[in-house]
């Protein structure tokens, strides 16, 4: 029997009560405070690392010749990829008129905004002189100096700014009706003012809903192509290079699939604890969890095909440099990284073929976490694996991360979790108005 999209006992009133009370009435629990404290410490650690980086330069990282890119770019690609699935869940499924997205899209959009915001830190910090980051923007000045249009730095800047602007707009516009609900239900004057300002004068009139639906549709239509174009552009950062392991036409679809793969993993890693600790099982049902697991499996199989295709093309081409690079991946100094990727991204997800595993939330959480770990190692292997062992033996050299490399990775995770925890406490994590619409549709179908 197919699990319902919404528990039958939930009414229009109970939906509003349960979701809004999490923000307005529910006391802050000890678990949330503990998670917030840990995230705050990690974020402070990141802030200390940024201050030290500005004072001493990128030499505090393990960068050297020939490995001039490493953790910073791996972190950047990993974070911007995670945000892609949020847009697909919210915008793509909205355009496809998939009703099961209604319980997931709000926190998925928040995941997108926060992940893209965190990713934007790293291209700035690895510039060497990050206080001049605004030079990447194409603005007119008296000197007539413009960015280098063929530089991947400018591509990264354009991708992040475009994607962040559209994501923030899409996230905020979708919040407006629910912000008005919180404004009307708030009991303290401070909360009434706070949510009233954010609601932007929403009164729920027919013309408001008409303009809201039109704008929501337009933003979704803009956001979904960005899922493919932005990460395809990130892929071109590498595929334009001539190094073995980078110079490949498969990278744009491979990167898009990898982005969706890691994004679905993060959606499960966040959604399963939210469902448990905030008692949201009536809204995020078994059907939602199973669908996310299936999407993660589908994206993962495409990624696995890309791994096989890379190896096949390397050996089939007969190019000795491509073959040498493939052998370095399989048996070289970083072979343990490659086999970790295979274990996390290929072997672990095969369990998702089983409906029993898809219903086991603990197993799903572990698999999704392994996917996130595997996708980070994939970015590391992609960058360092091609740089440390290139055409000339005289330029070979290992990369060893420093304390500060670990600081920026751990601190970025802390910053993301800090922003997400604040979102959970200050804003409705589920779209009340969309769930009420879903309730009305399900009632009509049952009648």
């Amino acid at each position: 029997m197919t699990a319902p999209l919404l528990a039958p006992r939930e009414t229009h009133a109970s939906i509003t009560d349960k979701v809004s009370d999490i923000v307005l009435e529910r006391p802050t629990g000890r678990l949330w405070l503990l998670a917030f404290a840990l995230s705050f410490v990690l974020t402070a650690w990141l802030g200390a690392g940024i201050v030290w980086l500005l004072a001493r330069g990128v030499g505090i990282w393990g960068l050297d010749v020939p490995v001039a890119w490493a953790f910073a770019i791996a972190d950047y690609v990993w974070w911007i990829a995670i945000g892609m699935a949020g847009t697909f869940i919210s915008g793509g499924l909205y355009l496809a008129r998939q009703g099961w997205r209604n319980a997931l899209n709000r926190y998925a959009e928040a995941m997108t905004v926060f992940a893209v915001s965190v990713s934007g830190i790293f291209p700035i910090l690895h510039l060497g002189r990050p206080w001049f980051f605004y030079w990447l923007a194409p603005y007119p000045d008296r000197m007539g100096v413009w960015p280098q249009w063929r530089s991947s730095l400018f591509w990264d800047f354009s991708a992040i700014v475009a994607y962040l602007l559209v994501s923030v707009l899409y996230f905020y516009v979708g919040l407006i009706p629910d912000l008005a609900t919180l404004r009307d239900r708030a009991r303290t004057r401070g909360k009434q003012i706070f949510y009233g300002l954010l609601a932007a004068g929403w009164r729920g009139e027919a013309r408001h809903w008409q303009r809201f639906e039109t704008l929501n549709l337009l933003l979704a239509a803009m956001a979904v192509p960005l899922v493919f174009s932005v990460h395809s552009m990130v892929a071109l950062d590498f595929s334009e290079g001539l190094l073995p392991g980078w110079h490949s036409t498969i990278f744009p679809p491979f990167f898009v699939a990898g982005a969706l793969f890691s994004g679905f993993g993060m959606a499960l890693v966040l959604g399963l604890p939210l469902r448990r600790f905030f008692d949201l099982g009536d809204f995020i049902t078994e059907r939602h969890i199973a669908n996310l697991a299936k999407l993660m499996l589908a994206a993962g199989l495409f990624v696995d095909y890309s791994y096989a295709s890379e190896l096949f093309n390397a050996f089939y081409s007969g190019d000795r440099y491509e073959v040498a690079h493939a052998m370095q991946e399989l048996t070289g100094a970083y072979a343990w990284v490659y086999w970790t990727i295979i274990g996390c991204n290929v072997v672990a997800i095969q369990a998702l073929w089983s409906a029993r595993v898809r219903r086991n939330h603990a197993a799903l959480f572990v698999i999704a976490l392994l996917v996130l770990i595997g996708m980070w190692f994939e970015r590391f292997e992609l960058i360092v694996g091609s740089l440390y062992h290139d055409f000339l033996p005289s330029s070979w050299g290992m990369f060893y991360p420093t304390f500060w490399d670990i600081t920026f990775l751990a601190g970025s995770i802390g910053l993301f979790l800090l922003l997400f925890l604040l979102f959970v406490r200050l804003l409705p994590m589920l779209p009340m108005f969309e769930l009420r619409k879903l309730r009305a549709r399900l009632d009509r179908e049952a009648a």
Side-chain angles (χ1 to χ4, degrees), residues 188-444:
T188 64
R189 185 60 179 165
K191 290 181 178 180
Q192 290 172 354
I193 293 174
F194 175 72
Y195 293 115
L197 290 173
L198 291 177
W202 177 273
R203 295 186 299 277
E205 298 177 1
R207 59 174 181 163
H208 288 182
W209 281 110
Q210 181 184 18
R211 292 168 182 173
F212 171 83
E213 294 292 347
T214 301
L215 180 57
N216 211 30
L217 181 62
L218 289 174
L219 288 173
M222 292 173 60
V224 171
L226 281 174
V227 172
F228 300 93
S229 63
V230 168
H231 222 61
S232 296
M233 186 283 309
V234 174
L236 294 176
D237 287 353
F238 299 96
S239 59
E240 68 162 348
L242 298 179
L243 285 175
W246 285 6
H247 195 59
S248 174
T249 56
I250 198 176
F251 268 24
F254 171 43
F255 268 54
V256 171
L260 295 174
F261 186 37
S262 56
F264 293 138
M266 182 62 86
L268 281 169
V269 166
L270 296 174
L272 289 171
L274 287 179
R275 183 181 188 272
R276 177 179 177 84
F277 296 122
F278 290 97
D279 193 22
L280 299 174
D282 286 350
F283 308 114
I284 304 176
T285 67
E286 293 293 339
R287 186 170 172 184
H288 295 96
I289 301 300
N291 285 348
L292 277 179
K294 291 175 183 178
L295 285 172
M296 186 170 69
L297 175 61
L301 292 175
F302 194 99
V303 171
D304 297 348
Y305 171 79
S306 300
Y307 294 157
S309 177
E310 281 186 308
L311 289 176
F312 174 81
N313 288 336
F315 288 103
Y316 185 74
S317 69
D319 186 289
R320 59 178 178 172
Y321 299 108
E322 293 289 346
V323 173
H325 173 75
M327 291 303 299
Q328 280 296 317
E329 279 191 330
L330 297 172
T331 63
Y334 292 107
W336 66 272
V337 175
Y338 181 80
W339 293 112
T340 299
I341 296 168
I342 297 300
C344 293
N345 295 348
V346 179
V347 177
I349 66 169
Q350 302 310 314
L352 296 176
W353 288 102
S354 169
R356 186 175 180 180
V357 173
R358 294 197 299 269
R359 290 192 296 267
N360 187 322
H361 294 179
L364 270 182
F365 184 84
V366 171
I367 293 171
L369 200 59
L370 287 174
V371 166
L372 291 176
I373 294 170
M375 290 306 293
W376 186 90
F377 274 111
E378 183 206 276
R379 271 52 181 220
F380 176 84
E381 170 67 22
L382 173 68
I383 297 165
V384 177
S386 293
L387 289 174
Y388 92 101
H389 192 273
D390 60 6
F391 299 100
L392 299 175
S394 60
S395 64
W396 294 351
M398 292 289 291
F399 167 80
Y400 300 100
T402 66
F403 169 81
W404 295 106
D405 286 302
I406 305 299
T407 294
F408 280 86
L409 174 58
S412 67
I413 295 173
L415 177 58
F416 174 82
L417 292 177
L418 183 74
L419 294 172
F420 196 82
L421 288 168
L422 289 173
F423 155 73
V424 166
R425 291 303 300 159
L426 296 176
L427 297 172
M429 69 182 79
L430 301 180
M432 292 180 280
F433 77 95
E434 293 205 40
L435 290 173
R436 291 194 295 264
K437 287 168 61 177
L438 177 62
R439 175 77 281 160
R441 180 171 69 81
L442 294 175
D443 290 343
R444 287 196 304 269

